[in-house]
Amino acid sequence: MTNSAPLPLTPKKSDLVEDLLTNTPLILELAHALGSPLNVVLPQQIRDNVDEFQRTIAAHGMRGAVYYAHKANRSAALVRELAATQARIDVASLAELQRALGSGFAPARIMTTGPKTPEFLWLAVRSGVTVNVDTVDELAMVGDIAQAHALPKLEILVRLSSFSNSGATMLSRPSRFGVATDELDSVFAVLDKYPEHLTLLGFAYHLDTIGIPEKARAFDGCLLALEEARVRGHDPRVVDIGGGFGVDYLADGAEWEAFTTALAEAVLGRRAPVTWQGAGYGLRNEGGRLRGNLGLYPAHRPVSGPRYLDDLLNTAAPNLGSTLAAAVLDNMHELWIEPGRSLLDQCGVVIARVLEVRPATDDTHFIRLDLNAGDVSLEQHGVHLDPVLIPSRACERGAGSGYMIGNLCLEADFISRRKIWFEQLPVAGDLLAFVNTAGYFMDFSADHALDQPIARVLALSRNAAGWSWQLDEQYWPDPFHGPSTRRTESN
């Protein structure tokens, strides 16, 4: 029970991120001028990520489109950069739709998803974007709006759920999103009511799982629904499989195995705690037996992003006698995807100033930062990574461990309850950089709690002359250069 060996979780860093974080004078200057916390986004990187997904689709011989799930990050710079690529955008609110329209996306490259307010639907229908409807009532409302204003035909996708075959439910977990497949008659009834105003483009699904078998069943179910639609006189062409392709956050998967093993042993009392007050992240000790489920995102996912998509496309379709990719090709369908987190892989860094380092227990410290758990919501989303230390000055530093806490006077305001081992323990005034936080972590939960300021957002670009930056809202892509001349050497 005395084992206290370090358990690092070293973040994976692209060449672009590595180059940025080794430019200590630049980081210190930006933090000094613009404060802490500070969100940095890297528009160049998102272009490369789009290209990788498009190459994966093309490698299977398919036509398709990559939709950026805007809800994963509020950055205007990232949206504007994407508008200058072949990517499209998936918006889930009125404000996101307004931003997409104002950033250079034509309506034909915009799709609305998720639950929608009447105002959101009104602007979507009026502007002629693709509407991915979530319920039969929402579909009817779209038809009513289009008919009332005598608008041109609107392209519709219908999100499905509760996939079944021959009366047997195929998906083990229910979803609050989408129309159950046994309600397709109601969908077709609404479409038939508005033949002059609605065009069925295809079907979609949304699943909160990383399991390929479940996704394959949903994919297969959408393909079957497309065939049913054709039998009923429609001419759909799209299957939208959403996102959920994941990110590999860690440089070394062995570190993840070591940490999760140590966490289980600590919960069972077989080694020293590795978390504040023995937090088990879903694991518990019941009479010497390990119970519960580990509530953490699998930070090491070597098969993620485009590789995960490739594996999914190579999976056998449960009811169609071929791979999913072959089924799409055989029927001349288009494949649409909606990556959020994985399209933002290596696209952002959160920087925070160290306010105080003080003893927490006999051998650990509290490292208080000038940000809170809402500014970099790793705990909320179950991802554990070590921050990168950016020293503010030369001084003697020894190794040490500690728990990172935030700037709110709340006991729950932990940046991480995991004990973090530092080869050089930070001191007040240093900066800590949280890597790969663009996808859901840097602003998804941010709020003006206790009147603390929300992080400013910077867009940084690198060229042959070095780094340059602009405030996020001031960033626009170079209007005179296309994608081929703006590529970088980053991963």
Side-chain angles (χ1 to χ4, degrees), residues 117-138:
T117 64
E119 297 82 6
F120 182 20
L121 269 182
W122 182 87
L123 183 59
V125 175
R126 291 293 309 182
S127 56
V129 306
T130 300
V131 179
N132 192 331
V133 299
D134 207 50
T135 68
V136 175
D137 287 345
E138 188 177 285

Side-chain angles (χ1 to χ4, degrees), residues 146-473:
Q147 185 180 67
H149 296 277
L151 297 174
K153 272 195 171 184
L154 194 73
E155 292 187 327
I156 298 292
L157 271 79
V158 178
R159 180 177 280 176
L160 299 179
S161 66
S162 303
F163 298 90
S164 60
N165 182 44
S166 301
T169 299
M170 297 180 66
L171 288 180
S172 58
R173 72 181 74 190
S175 173
R176 57 177 284 245
F177 298 103
V179 179
T181 52
D182 59 10
E183 294 182 35
L184 274 174
D185 284 345
S186 299
V187 170
F188 292 125
V190 175
L191 291 170
D192 292 342
K193 183 180 176 181
Y194 301 100
E196 302 300 318
H197 301 288
L198 302 181
T199 296
L200 178 63
L201 195 60
F203 293 100
Y205 68 80
H206 175 93
L207 290 178
D208 186 19
T209 178
I210 64 173
I212 281 184
E214 280 190 277
K215 287 181 181 285
R217 293 187 188 111
F219 197 145
D220 178 275
C222 286
L223 292 172
L224 293 173
L226 286 169
E227 293 309 304
E228 175 68 15
R230 285 184 171 173
V231 169
R232 292 176 180 252
H234 298 275
D235 188 26
R237 67 177 189 273
V238 170
V239 57
D240 178 352
I241 63 173
F245 308 124
V247 169
D248 186 12
Y249 288 99
L250 294 180
D252 184 356
E255 292 183 350
W256 181 249
E257 294 299 323
F259 166 65
T260 53
T261 298
L263 177 63
E265 291 176 347
V267 169
L268 291 172
R270 297 173 184 170
R271 63 157 292 151
V274 297
T275 58
W276 174 246
Q277 295 186 337
Y281 293 108
L283 300 179
R284 62 185 185 277
N285 185 343
E286 290 186 2
R289 292 175 179 264
L290 192 66
R291 302 294 189 191
N293 296 304
L294 185 61
L296 298 178
Y297 184 92
H300 176 57
R301 287 187 61 184
V303 179
S304 59
R307 286 186 60 191
Y308 181 97
L309 174 61
D310 185 62
D311 278 7
L312 177 60
L313 293 174
N314 285 322
T315 299
N319 292 288
L320 297 173
S322 67
T323 66
L324 292 165
V328 172
L329 274 173
D330 290 346
N331 292 282
M332 296 191 300
H333 296 318
E334 293 182 28
L335 178 73
W336 289 5
I337 62 174
E338 304 169 27
R341 184 195 302 265
S342 52
L343 206 59
L344 292 170
D345 192 14
Q346 300 293 327
C347 287
V349 177
V350 174
I351 297 168
R353 184 170 68 248
V354 177
L355 297 176
E356 177 188 29
V357 179
R358 58 184 171 85
T361 63
D362 290 341
D363 60 346
T364 61
H365 303 78
F366 280 133
I367 301 162
R368 183 164 61 91
L369 304 178
D370 196 11
L371 87 169
N372 57 64
D375 294 316
V376 56
S377 51
L378 299 175
E379 284 277 292
Q380 179 180 336
H381 292 274
V383 173
H384 287 288
L385 303 170
D386 290 352
V388 176
L389 175 65
I390 301 174
S392 60
R393 64 185 186 277
C395 64
E396 186 173 339
R397 304 161 188 271
S401 63
Y403 306 100
M404 294 186 296
I405 60 176
N407 58 14
L408 302 181
C409 53
L410 298 172
E411 286 288 352
D413 189 25
F414 275 81
I415 310 305
S416 177
R417 289 176 173 80
R418 178 177 67 90
K419 183 189 291 186
I420 296 176
W421 283 262
F422 292 90
E423 293 182 5
Q424 297 182 73
L425 193 67
V427 299
D430 286 347
L431 301 177
L432 293 182
F434 297 88
V435 175
N436 209 357
T437 44
Y440 291 107
F441 302 128
M442 67 167 46
D443 61 18
F444 196 74
S445 304
D447 196 6
H448 287 283
L450 275 66
D451 213 23
Q452 296 282 7
I454 289 180
R456 290 192 180 187
V457 183
L458 297 183
L460 267 69
S461 302
R462 186 187 66 180
N463 56 30
W467 286 93
S468 61
W469 65 271
Q470 291 172 284
L471 291 174
D472 183 71
E473 289 291 342

Side-chain angles (χ1 to χ4, degrees), residues 62-76:
M62 292 185 293
R63 293 176 301 151
V66 179
Y67 280 81
Y68 166 54
H70 187 4
K71 61 181 177 291
N73 194 290
R74 300 175 191 170
S75 167

